[in-house]
Amino acid sequence: MKFLHTGDWHIGKKLNGYDLLEEQQDVFRQLMAVAEKEQVDAIVIAGDLYDRSVPSVEAVEVFNWMMREMNIEKKYPVLAISGNHDSSTRLETGGPWYEPLRFHLHTRLEQGLAPVEIDDTQFFLLPYFEPFAARRYFEDDSLKTIQQAVAAAVAEMEKRFDPHKKQVLVSHFFIAGSTTTDSETKVTVGGLDVVPLSLLENFDYVALGHLHNRHALHSDNVRYSGSLLKYSLSEVNQEKGVWVVELTDTETNMEFFPVTPMRDVKVLEESFDTLMTPSFYSEINREDYIGIRLTNKEVIPNVMNQLRSVYPRIIQLERAHGRTAQELNVLASSDLQKKDPLTLFADFFETAVEQPLTIQQKSWLEEEYMTLEKEG
Amino acid sequence: MKFLHTGDWHIGKKLNGYDLLEEQQDVFRQLMAVAEKEQVDAIVIAGDLYDRSVPSVEAVEVFNWMMREMNIEKKYPVLAISGNHDSSTRLETGGPWYEPLRFHLHTRLEQGLAPVEIDDTQFFLLPYFEPFAARRYFEDDSLKTIQQAVAAAVAEMEKRFDPHKKQVLVSHFFIAGSTTTDSETKVTVGGLDVVPLSLLENFDYVALGHLHNRHALHSDNVRYSGSLLKYSLSEVNQEKGVWVVELTDTETNMEFFPVTPMRDVKVLEESFDTLMTPSFYSEINREDYIGIRLTNKEVIPNVMNQLRSVYPRIIQLERAHGRTAQELNVLASSDLQKKDPLTLFADFFETAVEQPLTIQQKSWLEEEYMTLEKEG
């Protein structure tokens, strides 16, 4: 059994307003090229397929294309779970129809307890879940923590282990001893929401999602795939890619295949003058997503507009030496002043609600605004 | 070929805030009983499966259950299209996986042009679409209206007619000569968005969705199924149900099977005193969804609360004789006064945005409110 292990796709994720769908399609093609070259038998996706529970129509289109490509066109069996960013109910749509084509997408705890068997391997696809789901399923009110809930789930799986087969767990949790980055959901520190490694020792391999850094955990057979792209500035130094895992009769072999993003995410810590010097910026890819840490201490008028004229995709601007000047507080302040109130409200609404205004809502807004203008 | 024709399910639709999911599940069971009793070969659903492009999680759960029941459990072939209320992209998810189990859900114009063949019948499943989709697909900028676009689509279908088979069109448009009700999307009056009956004369049967009144159109072989439930007060006098259509070698037989809602929608036009008299209200089902037209002309203090104590599901209150008193303007005014500002805001938000506040948004709101309270 040879399979590819990926996860944390976060389709539809935006980086400070910049849409990453193009980058996500590009990196997906690289993933497929690895699967083909390595002739894997299956593809494992360890949760967080989407970035949010109600993805945009554009994100749904991209994700549908990826799934068709993987399972219908290239005919790879797919072994996937929902993560904490996904809506398990929405992802569940279609589930019973997917399975005959060996596309297994598990979104509920109980689905994770029975293995999906492919050749000599039992895959347990345990989606992200909350302790209350375990209390309800096991009818056991003592399951207060994720640690206890996962222990109950693993005990149930172990009853179904076939000694003649290999066992792989696919899951989406924070494992004790791991370290986190900014773009992951905050986890409770103190141990309650953490799953100890020792619980997982009877599996031949554990394919994890959740943490975006594949080095977050040190273990022989328990691995995070990491995300497919850098989803925050705290991930700038992480190499992204996928694992190819081979289970032989005697051992588990793991090889990491890096992917190269169309546009990278990086941090520049320099003085304003350096950043604006052609001999400096002609040496770097200015199309990348860039976080800037200015080393200057003085106020620089119109700083963002000047920087944007050279670096079109600035995703953060801060002072390297602590002082936060007013000028830096609102990233797109100069843009703000150019927008009319209706556009500003529409932007604010879209940010807060994660949906654009409907035509009906826009017309209400316009009416209200005209009334206000008259009264003013 | 014998099939059941239904449409306009609008799963997730609310009636003045009242959730209809229970009624929708009940009426679905009645539909399935008809399918079973009549031993149909397939089930046709002519669009508007959901009530909105982003249905709630609860609506998705109910719809997923219905589809599993129909296609996976009872193994009926399903022939469905998206309507103007559906998001074609969201519904498209899973499409290629559904077809091997004879669940055909078409969401794009081009899918409608090639028939799905079951036994001796060709089904053309033409979803709701906008003229621009036809201009793009046919590469013909002269297709400005729905009428022109449907004509182009039908011409394409007719090229694929097999003279040894029957032809059924499933579609979701406003057909010339039909009459509309309040709960349907407004259509352009004046002819541009209307499809003439004559375009459809070469089909053995046309299974339509869109209008909620099955009597909206008079034709031998072109029928609206009507909605499964009454979705507005303008539909109170409509009998709801499903068609069972049988195509024989020589003719098309259609029989209508009514369904009975758990809770009906009706209008009471009476005086306040009559409405509050036990000998009156003990004779009617007070659990129904009720629109009240008061015949009184004088102001009645606290009218809504008094009526609600007898009729728990009032969906509209108005004066039969035109005068709209201030007391009637806000339906739940007495409820409003009982609610705290945070709950009021949350209700308003949900009404405007069609989504509940997230936990994060609630906590922002609470913080803001506490700050205001302190400042006040």
Side-chain angles (χ1 to χ4, degrees), chain B residues 36-222:
Chain B
E36 207 142 347
K37 181 169 153 289
E38 292 297 307
Q39 297 187 298
V40 301
D41 304 309
I43 294 175
V44 165
I45 318 173
D48 284 357
L49 310 176
Y50 284 117
D51 190 53
R52 53 181 54 153
S53 60
V54 184
S56 69
V57 163
E58 292 73 24
V60 171
E61 267 172 359
V62 166
F63 182 72
N64 286 353
W65 167 76
M66 289 173 171
M67 293 300 103
R68 279 197 306 273
E69 197 62 22
M70 211 169 229
N71 185 243
I72 304 266
E73 296 300 321
K74 303 294 182 189
K75 306 212 182 306
Y76 289 107
V78 173
L79 302 149
I81 57 172
S82 48
N84 55 308
H85 278 248
D86 301 307
S87 161
S88 55
T89 302
R90 291 181 198 280
L91 272 188
E92 194 178 5
T93 301
W97 289 266
Y98 296 148
E99 307 223 332
L101 296 181
R102 300 199 301 174
F103 181 164
H104 304 274
L105 170 50
H106 286 186
T107 60
R108 284 175 288 116
L109 160 63
E110 55 269 35
Q111 294 175 308
L113 307 179
V116 172
E117 307 208 346
I118 298 184
D119 302 335
D120 62 347
T121 306
Q122 296 183 300
F123 289 91
F124 292 86
L125 310 180
L126 184 70
Y128 175 84
F129 63 91
E130 302 280 353
F132 79 83
R135 286 195 290 278
R136 197 169 49 190
Y137 178 76
F138 292 109
E139 298 179 357
D140 179 353
D141 283 343
S142 74
L143 303 174
K144 303 284 188 213
T145 67
I146 268 297
Q147 174 169 345
Q148 293 165 330
V150 171
V154 168
E156 199 63 30
M157 292 174 198
E158 288 180 347
K159 289 183 200 159
R160 305 188 192 182
F161 275 20
D162 178 342
H164 304 296
K165 299 201 172 192
K166 302 278 179 180
Q167 282 80 32
V168 173
L169 172 65
V170 181
S171 197
H172 190 95
F173 287 109
F174 184 57
I175 303 296
S178 326
T179 51
T180 60
T181 63
D182 288 355
S183 66
E184 293 136 17
T185 302
K186 295 286 169 283
V187 289
T188 307
V189 180
L192 291 186
D193 282 1
V194 161
V195 175
L197 256 179
S198 57
L199 264 182
L200 311 175
E201 60 195 7
N202 292 331
F203 293 95
D204 293 285
Y205 184 76
V206 179
L208 292 172
H210 194 40
L211 303 185
H212 290 189
N213 180 4
R214 72 182 167 98
H215 293 299
L217 184 69
H218 299 282
S219 160
D220 282 343
N221 64 330
V222 182

Side-chain angles (χ1 to χ4, degrees), chain A residues 316-334:
Chain A
Q316 196 175 73
L317 175 59
E318 61 178 21
R319 296 283 182 165
H321 304 300
R323 201 176 61 124
T324 309
Q326 190 59 37
E327 65 186 15
L328 303 179
N329 274 350
V330 180
L331 247 189
S333 59
S334 53

Side-chain angles (χ1 to χ4, degrees), chain A residues 99-164:
Chain A
E99 307 222 332
L101 295 182
R102 301 200 301 173
F103 180 164
H104 304 273
L105 170 50
H106 287 186
T107 60
R108 284 175 288 116
L109 160 64
E110 54 270 36
Q111 294 175 308
L113 307 180
V116 171
E117 306 208 347
I118 299 183
D119 302 335
D120 62 346
T121 305
Q122 297 182 300
F123 289 91
F124 293 87
L125 311 180
L126 185 69
Y128 175 83
F129 63 92
E130 301 280 352
F132 79 84
R135 287 197 290 278
R136 196 169 51 191
Y137 178 75
F138 292 109
E139 298 179 359
D140 179 353
D141 282 343
S142 74
L143 303 174
K144 304 283 189 212
T145 66
I146 269 297
Q147 175 169 346
Q148 293 165 330
V150 171
V154 168
E156 200 63 31
M157 292 173 197
E158 288 180 346
K159 289 182 198 159
R160 305 188 191 182
F161 275 21
D162 177 342
H164 304 296

Side-chain angles (χ1 to χ4, degrees), chain A residues 55 71 90 93 97 352 355 361, chain B residues 55 64 71 90 97 352 355 361:
Chain A
N71 185 242
R90 290 180 199 279
T93 300
W97 289 266
Q355 284 197 18
Q361 287 168 335
Chain B
N64 286 353
N71 185 243
R90 291 181 198 280
W97 289 266
Q355 282 199 18
Q361 287 167 334

